[in-house]
Amino acid sequence: MNDLGTIDGALDEMLVSLAGIVLRLARPEITNTPDTQQALARSVHQYAVCASRSADPRVHALRAELEATLKPRLRVITGGRPKTS
């Protein structure tokens, strides 16, 4: 049974490393085309599938962070009312 714990821990460490890689690739300057956005979505989905069986809280936190990268990016535009004479 100890071997299963060792394997499980190693898989969790790999998932943490993988999430770091995907997060670096999720930067807006990299995922700026429809193809790269689709690739990111596939990567995040596959990560989520693997993470769902993990008991490591780091893996679940990274899953949430990765899923947040898929949400639309909003820009804040500030400005006052146009001046009228």
Side-chain angles (χ1 to χ4, degrees):
M1 192 74 161
N2 191 25
D3 290 340
L4 289 177
T6 302
I7 293 170
D8 192 46
L11 288 172
D12 287 336
E13 291 303 322
M14 286 194 307
L15 284 170
V16 168
S17 295
L18 178 61
I21 293 167
V22 176
L23 281 170
R24 283 192 296 278
L25 294 173
R27 293 191 320 248
E29 59 271 14
I30 295 175
T31 56
N32 56 5
T33 67
D35 287 341
T36 55
Q37 290 169 359
Q38 288 177 350
L40 174 63
R42 284 191 303 271
S43 295
V44 170
H45 174 73
Q46 286 298 320
Y47 184 88
V49 168
C50 294
S52 66
R53 296 189 179 264
S54 174
D56 190 324
R58 298 174 303 160
V59 172
H60 292 283
L62 288 165
R63 175 185 177 178
E65 191 173 344
L66 283 169
E67 288 172 340
T69 66
L70 299 180
K71 295 188 170 133
R73 296 178 183 106
L74 302 176
R75 290 187 301 158
V76 176
I77 299 174
T78 62
R81 291 183 169 186
K83 292 186 180 183
T84 57
S85 339

